[in-house]
Amino acid sequence: MAERVLVVGGGGREHALAWKLAQSPHVQQVLVAPGNAGTANCGKITNSEVSISNHAILAQFCKDHNVGLVVVGPEVPLAAGMVDDLVTAGIRCFGPSAKASQLEASKSFSKAFMERQGIPTARWGSFTHAPDACHYIRTASFPALVVKASGLAAGKGVIVAADQDQACQAVMDIMEDKAFGSAGETVVVEELLEGEEVSCLCFSDGTSVSPMPPAQDHKRLQDGDLGPNTGGMGAYCPTPQVSEELLEQIKEMVLQKTVDGMRDEGAPYVGVLYAGLMLTKQGPKVLEFNCRFGDPECQVLMPLLKSDLYEVLLSTLNGTLASSAPQWHGDKSAVTVVMASPGYPGSYQKGVQITGLSKVQEAGLQVFHAGTGLREGDVVSSGGRVLTVTAVGASLAAALEAANQGVAAVGFPGAVYRRDIGHRAIAFLSRPRGLTYKDSGVDIAAGNRLVDMIKPLAKATSRPGCNADLGGFAGLFDLKAAGFMDPILVSGTDGVGTKLKIAQACGKHDTLGQDLVAMCVNDVLAQGAEPLFFLDYFSCGTLDVGVASSVIGGVAKACEMAGCALLGGETAEMPGVYSPGEYDLAGFCVGAVERAALLPRLGDIAAGDLLVGVASSGVHSNGFSLVRKVLERAGISHSSPTPFGEPGRTLGEVLLTPTKIYSRALLPVLRSGAVKAYAHITGGGLVENIPRVLPPELAVDLDASRWSTPPVFSWLQEAGDLGEDEMARTFNCGLGAVLVVAPPDAQRVLQQLQAHEEAWIVGSLAHKQPGAESVVVRNLKHSLRAGPSAGPAPVIQKQNGGCHHDGSSAPNRRARVGVLISGTGTNLQALMEQARRPSSSAEIVVVISNRPGVQGLKRASLAGIQTRVVDHKLYGSRAEFDGTIDRVLEEFKVEVVCLAGFMRILTGPFVKKWNGKLLNIHPSLLPSFKGVNAQKQALQAGTRVSGCTVHFVAEEVDAGAIVVQEAVPVHVGDTEESLSERIREAEHKAFPAALELVASGAVRLGQDGRIAWSS
């Protein structure tokens, strides 16, 4: 539903904001308070007489009139806390809080803040006594000639003196003669900087910043930057003096640093941040901060904003700028010329009639009103700066010419205006220029933009062991923090072959990242290794940021799927090496495996072992040169509808189905000890990959009738007239991975896999006869010709290791369990032994310790369970520590959490989130003897029976609903140690039993907080 928006203010800036907001389909009406003649009854825009000085009245007005958003234009109401008061009243309001607005409201605060945060600015001093300020001016080792009233002075409280005498006189005028009233009770004296002055604004959601195109204001009244200082006589945008590289530097060193610093100091900055900068030889330095859109900068920025302003403001308020950055018209320039009353900035006449405005707008220009009012239907002047004429053109010169023509058409007797807005930019563009790196075809700024887009995506892949912060020369990974005891590092590298050609022809780039990660991660798994981190390489002739970000964004998402961090990468722009639109990819993955769990176990592999196949998603990323040849031979294109059972999809879409990543599904199985070897079916197909993990004296016997063959392979074989042998040595034919297991373990492994993936027992190993093939694939031709409808023949294991058909259903799904520990993990051992049973309803997928190097982590690693260390000493608060634990549990899709000797008290929000899913064991028969030293309490009370209790965790310690209790008699002469030992033995029975009840669904926590049994 369209909303009503209220814009607070009455100048040209507010008219421009209202004009842009009115263009949004989400906005029903724009109210402007108090507004001006330009915002009075203009389409969706109308003025409001509501009081903006009384915030309580304003809040009630917004509620009564269903105002969904308030946008505060000027600085005074921001400093007065309008945003704070409206938000407190439940009104959504755009702009920084009063605390954050100190950046503009107090120049003394602003300078001290910049000094604290290391933001480049002029040298300075702050003074409350005029003699002290003058002494500073005369003794400073630099030209201390800029004098500023520290408070708000309507943009006029800055005097740039020609010498020390003028500077001291300015101090006296401000502090003694009260030239700017109370705003001058404190003065700031600054170093006079030399260079080009520019305005760099950004949207900030409190965390991220999104820069606007840089602009330049013209403060002096007359052409040539002569005459007195004003509130601004015009502006243009963008400024060619600020290159994309320099804007990136300003973003990082000024804008982002400011927002980060304000957040760190307890005043999150949400709104528009305006940095007035001087481009010195030492780099950009901040002259001042404003906490709102500039005026007249706003009048050139709004016409260049391509995005919906209402949507941008909501993204800013909702904290989603990083994922929805505003878009701008980068191929256009805008110029605005201010028309002021004669006598401005001194005394001036009001009520002068203004004509010709409709002619200006008919010429395609926009007139933004400032100091105007209505008198008997006529527009008349009511202020110093009266209106601005804004033009947009393909170049700065064209926009300036159009704006000047528009000004000349306005009937405003005696109006004062400049005719040279943008003269510095025109001079800059006219000067001779040497070659740049960009002239050679390498765009560094585009590369920097790409990195900025990738950074938050990479950050999201952080995991124990590394933070995935891009930007350094190298990436770091802490194996100890990741829970490894005696690790061996495993590395793999790969690409995606000519699948790239299909993606580039289809214009679909977002799935290639998963292909790249999968090809590397699945190789690393062949050694039994957990993938830890990933590096990518993207090379092209000309960098297309949109395409590259789509590809690398896919890499980041795939890293999350695989459980590894995107630790870094390289983007290589190489003009002349690649044709337009072409690029290449390579990936590099590093994993680790405990020495005792390294695969393949060649010495254990024997004839009679069974092969378990895991389904592929299709062609994956190998054999695409042959695929493209088949397409050419068949006379079919990637955009054609699929010629086989995939209605509604093109052939290109089917071929681009991303490669499966097997790490999440296979790692627990590989670590169980039941798998002797794992082969990734990659380039070389079935024939060449399985022998890579086998002793040379063994041969592979596969039966293709036992697994499902995706229809794409049947079509490729038929359309290309490909032989059975060619299919088997080129493609995976439906199997992405093959595991070698002993016959007694086959069914258990199969059940574990089938909880996540399609899997089948697909063959066995035998002694290789002299001269025989290493791999025989039986029934492949039949399976390909039969197509997908035939399906696999389900099998179960016979006692003799053979296979026969069986129609039984898949095993029940197991609940995913996470265990939190702090020490030796004896209860953990009991839980793991229970979960290993074929009949168990639980699968332990991760063990988390708050202490590194403890025995429990080693127990988990040896059992093939993934481990994580979240060291509580590294966190500033319990909430931050619990939040990290929560993210790890979410990462592993944990459904039940067991506290097995976890020596940290969890916060209320954590307990509430995991309510009914969080189990703890206590060494007493609750509700007796809660808290610590339960055994001691039992002995002191003289009780004859103690024991242990497994219960759901509640916010009150040891008060949750009881699941299982195990009684232990107290013997005469028992000590704490002897009683504790017997209770521990009982715990090893009770905890697994309780876990089984909860994981199977037999027991749950009811809404009333009591135990509920399933019927």
Side-chain angles (χ1 to χ4, degrees):
M1 186 177 73
E3 284 203 305
R4 182 173 284 120
V5 178
L6 172 65
V7 175
V8 174
R13 166 183 50 222
E14 289 72 38
H15 187 182
L17 291 171
W19 169 80
K20 189 64 179 177
L21 284 165
Q23 297 171 18
S24 171
H26 306 296
V27 174
Q28 171 193 359
Q29 184 183 31
V30 182
L31 303 175
V32 187
N36 53 47
T39 56
N41 300 317
C42 178
K44 287 184 182 180
I45 307 170
T46 187
N47 290 338
S48 171
E49 296 181 0
V50 64
S51 169
I52 58 174
S53 58
N54 188 317
H55 299 170
I57 292 176
L58 181 61
Q60 191 59 49
F61 171 88
C62 292
K63 292 177 181 178
D64 293 344
H65 292 81
N66 297 317
V67 173
L69 175 66
V70 176
V71 181
V72 184
E75 63 274 19
V76 173
L78 290 171
M82 177 179 283
V83 173
D84 309 67
D85 293 340
L86 291 181
V87 170
T88 299
I91 309 298
R92 191 163 52 188
C93 190
F94 181 84
S97 65
K99 190 174 181 181
S101 296
Q102 291 179 95
L103 280 175
E104 178 174 7
S106 171
K107 292 179 176 61
S108 179
F109 169 86
S110 178
K111 296 294 285 190
F113 169 82
M114 285 187 270
E115 191 171 87
R116 289 193 301 273
Q117 297 296 332
I119 296 168
T121 187
R123 289 172 284 186
W124 66 289
S126 178
F127 307 96
T128 55
H129 295 94
D132 294 340
C134 290
H135 177 74
Y136 182 82
I137 289 167
R138 296 192 185 280
T139 58
S141 60
F142 50 85
L145 301 177
V146 180
V147 181
K148 298 181 177 180
S150 181
L152 296 175
K156 302 172 187 173
V158 179
I159 292 92
V160 181
D163 52 39
Q164 292 178 353
D165 291 337
Q166 275 191 20
C168 288
Q169 184 59 51
V171 169
M172 303 306 292
D173 291 344
I174 294 173
M175 303 193 77
E176 302 294 335
D177 298 341
K178 306 295 182 184
F180 302 112
S182 61
E185 291 177 357
T186 298
V187 297
V188 171
V189 179
E190 287 186 4
E191 172 188 12
L192 177 64
L193 298 176
E194 294 183 358
E196 191 88 28
E197 190 172 342
V198 295
S199 305
C200 287
L201 292 80
C202 71
F203 293 100
S204 166
D205 62 10
T207 301
S208 301
V209 296
S210 181
M212 305 180 202
Q216 188 173 63
D217 186 10
H218 295 63
K219 289 291 188 186
R220 297 288 185 173
L221 182 69
Q222 299 164 3
D223 287 353
D225 292 325
L226 301 175
N229 210 22
T230 71
M233 293 301 295
Y236 68 93
C237 178
T239 54
Q241 302 94 315
V242 179
S243 65
E244 292 183 4
E245 293 88 347
L246 181 56
L247 183 60
E248 183 61 30
Q249 181 185 347
I250 291 167
K251 176 189 174 184
E252 294 298 326
M253 298 303 297
V254 176
L255 302 175
Q256 188 65 58
K257 234 178 182 181
T258 301
V259 170
D260 290 344
M262 292 298 285
R263 185 178 65 252
D264 292 345
E265 295 190 11
Y269 194 99
V270 178
V272 168
L273 177 64
Y274 172 132
L277 302 165
M278 186 70 81
L279 306 181
T280 73
K281 291 181 179 178
Q282 294 77 37
K285 294 188 177 183
V286 178
L287 299 173
E288 64 175 357
F289 284 121
N290 291 333
C291 293
R292 31 73 189 184
F293 282 102
D295 188 342
E297 289 93 341
C298 188
Q299 289 91 306
V300 288
L301 285 165
M302 289 302 99
L304 294 180
L305 178 61
K306 185 186 295 185
S307 298
D308 183 318
L309 177 60
Y310 178 81
E311 293 178 356
V312 173
L313 300 186
L314 288 194
S315 293
T316 305
L317 292 175
N318 294 335
T320 57
L321 269 181
S323 60
S324 54
Q327 301 299 308
W328 302 86
H329 292 287
D331 56 346
K332 297 179 180 178
S333 293
V335 172
T336 193
V337 178
V338 173
M339 300 185 74
S341 297
Y344 175 80
S347 58
Y348 49 82
Q349 180 185 354
K350 297 181 181 180
V352 178
Q353 185 175 348
I354 302 168
T355 61
L357 298 179
S358 59
K359 292 182 180 178
V360 176
Q361 290 179 312
E362 287 170 4
L365 307 181
Q366 186 62 43
V367 178
F368 294 118
H369 291 240
T372 63
L374 291 173
R375 185 179 62 194
E376 298 178 357
D378 295 328
V379 177
V380 297
S381 65
S382 64
R385 292 192 296 169
V386 178
L387 50 83
T388 62
V389 177
T390 301
V392 176
S395 68
L396 178 62
L400 175 58
E401 182 180 358
N404 284 338
Q405 289 175 353
V407 168
V410 176
F412 182 8
V416 178
Y417 56 89
R418 289 181 59 162
R419 297 164 181 81
D420 67 342
I421 302 300
H423 69 97
R424 292 179 181 272
I426 292 171
F428 178 86
L429 293 170
S430 302
R431 67 185 187 181
R433 186 174 68 89
L435 282 174
T436 66
Y437 204 3
K438 190 172 182 178
D439 294 327
S440 71
V442 179
D443 191 341
I444 295 174
N448 290 336
R449 288 199 306 275
L450 176 61
V451 171
D452 282 342
M453 296 172 76
I454 295 167
K455 275 185 176 180
L457 302 177
K459 184 70 174 175
T461 69
S462 295
R463 52 154 293 161
C466 73
N467 291 324
D469 283 320
L470 301 184
F473 288 103
L476 304 177
F477 194 94
D478 185 344
L479 283 168
K480 193 172 183 180
F484 287 93
M485 300 294 178
D486 183 22
I488 292 178
L489 292 178
V490 180
S491 65
T493 182
D494 212 331
V496 297
T498 56
K499 190 172 186 176
L500 284 167
K501 289 285 191 180
I502 305 287
Q504 290 161 6
C506 292
K508 182 173 173 57
H509 313 280
D510 57 334
T511 58
L512 289 175
Q514 181 172 332
D515 289 310
L516 187 65
V517 172
M519 296 302 290
C520 299
V521 163
N522 292 345
D523 278 353
V524 166
L525 284 172
Q527 308 298 148
E530 174 188 350
L532 301 179
F533 60 87
F534 190 86
L535 305 168
D536 68 83
Y537 176 81
F538 181 96
S539 57
C540 59
T542 301
L543 181 61
D544 184 321
V545 174
V547 170
S549 63
S550 180
V551 173
I552 301 172
V555 170
K557 289 179 182 176
C559 284
E560 285 192 80
M561 293 169 61
C564 62
L566 179 55
L567 201 53
E570 167 71 5
T571 302
E573 192 172 15
M574 299 183 284
V577 175
Y578 296 91
S579 300
E582 288 189 347
Y583 56 86
D584 200 3
L585 290 174
F588 312 87
C589 180
V590 173
V593 58
E594 296 290 353
R595 190 180 304 272
L598 189 65
L599 293 179
R601 302 202 312 267
L602 293 175
D604 294 342
I605 300 173
D609 283 345
L610 298 181
L611 303 177
V612 177
V614 185
S616 70
S617 58
V619 184
H620 280 187
S621 299
N622 297 107
F624 270 86
S625 295
L626 180 55
V627 169
R628 290 165 54 236
K629 201 69 179 174
V630 171
L631 264 66
E632 180 184 324
R633 178 171 178 170
I636 189 171
S637 76
H638 56 80
S639 59
S640 302
T642 52
F644 49 87
E646 295 274 358
R649 300 182 72 191
T650 66
L651 184 57
E653 289 171 337
V654 173
L655 291 173
L656 289 175
T657 300
T659 309
K660 278 191 177 181
I661 297 173
Y662 293 116
S663 53
R664 298 281 194 193
L666 288 190
L667 268 174
V669 180
L670 298 181
R671 288 172 162 177
S672 70
V675 176
K676 300 180 180 182
Y678 151 70
H680 176 205
I681 310 304
T682 178
L686 298 167
V687 171
E688 307 225 348
N689 285 291
I690 303 175
R692 295 166 69 180
V693 298
L694 300 178
E697 68 272 13
L698 295 179
V700 175
D701 178 20
L702 292 174
D703 185 350
S705 68
R706 293 181 180 171
W707 72 83
S708 290
T709 306
V712 64
F713 293 113
S714 299
W715 180 82
L716 286 168
Q717 190 271 331
E718 183 179 355
D721 192 22
L722 303 178
E724 188 176 11
D725 291 345
E726 195 63 33
M727 291 293 295
R729 75 174 58 256
T730 305
F731 300 116
N732 64 62
C733 296
L735 297 181
V738 172
L739 312 183
V740 179
V741 297
D745 297 322
Q747 281 301 310
R748 178 161 60 91
V749 169
L750 188 62
Q751 288 178 1
Q752 285 182 276
L753 288 171
Q754 287 175 338
H756 308 281
E757 298 282 353
E758 281 191 284
W760 313 269
I761 296 176
V762 295
S764 60
L765 299 181
H767 289 291
K768 184 182 177 184
Q769 300 302 317
E773 296 288 340
S774 296
V775 177
V776 174
V777 185
R778 293 182 286 109
N779 298 316
L780 180 57
K781 184 183 293 186
H782 171 76
S783 294
L784 291 169
R785 288 180 177 173
S789 59
V795 295
I796 62 170
Q797 178 197 332
K798 285 184 178 179
Q799 290 299 318
N800 61 7
C803 298
H804 70 263
H805 299 290
D806 180 64
S808 60
S809 60
N812 292 329
R813 179 183 169 281
R814 292 186 172 202
R816 298 174 66 82
V817 179
V819 184
L820 308 189
I821 65 169
S822 293
T824 57
T826 55
N827 273 323
L828 167 65
Q829 186 66 40
L831 293 173
M832 291 190 303
E833 289 172 3
Q834 173 64 30
R836 274 202 293 265
R837 295 182 179 181
S839 60
S840 176
S841 298
E843 176 191 4
I844 300 176
V845 294
V846 65
V847 173
I848 305 170
S849 172
N850 66 303
R851 295 175 181 168
V854 297
Q855 180 66 23
L857 290 173
K858 190 170 184 179
R859 291 177 189 267
S861 293
L862 291 174
I865 297 170
Q866 296 205 53
T867 61
R868 295 289 185 267
V869 175
V870 182
D871 191 340
H872 63 277
K873 296 176 184 177
L874 304 179
Y875 295 85
S877 67
R878 286 171 56 203
E880 188 180 354
F881 169 73
D882 284 3
T884 304
I885 294 280
D886 181 60
R887 284 193 292 276
V888 176
L889 294 173
E890 292 284 4
E891 175 192 348
F892 283 89
K893 298 181 174 59
V894 167
E895 297 163 292
V896 180
V897 182
C898 294
L899 308 183
F902 185 64
M903 306 305 291
R904 306 297 298 174
I905 296 176
L906 296 166
T907 56
F910 183 95
V911 173
K912 283 181 180 177
K913 175 175 179 179
W914 291 92
N915 186 42
K917 303 173 183 177
L918 195 57
L919 291 175
N920 184 42
I921 190 161
H922 183 73
S924 78
L925 294 177
L926 293 174
S928 299
F929 314 128
K930 295 181 179 181
V932 297
N933 302 319
Q935 298 92 334
K936 183 177 181 180
Q937 293 181 59
L939 291 172
Q940 288 176 343
T943 184
R944 305 317 306 158
V945 178
S946 185
C948 63
T949 303
V950 184
H951 62 93
F952 285 110
V953 177
E955 288 191 67
E956 183 184 342
V957 174
D958 297 331
I962 295 171
V963 181
V964 168
Q965 289 186 314
E966 184 83 14
V968 174
V970 180
H971 298 159
V972 176
D974 255 338
T975 64
E976 284 185 56
E977 291 75 16
S978 62
L979 179 58
S980 297
E981 181 60 34
R982 291 203 309 285
I983 290 176
R984 268 195 296 272
E985 292 175 5
E987 288 177 350
H988 298 165
K989 300 176 185 177
F991 213 164
L995 173 60
E996 203 59 47
L997 288 171
V998 174
S1000 67
V1003 164
R1004 60 180 175 82
L1005 186 65
Q1007 292 184 351
D1008 58 357
R1010 298 181 179 183
I1011 291 296
W1013 292 83
S1014 63
S1015 56

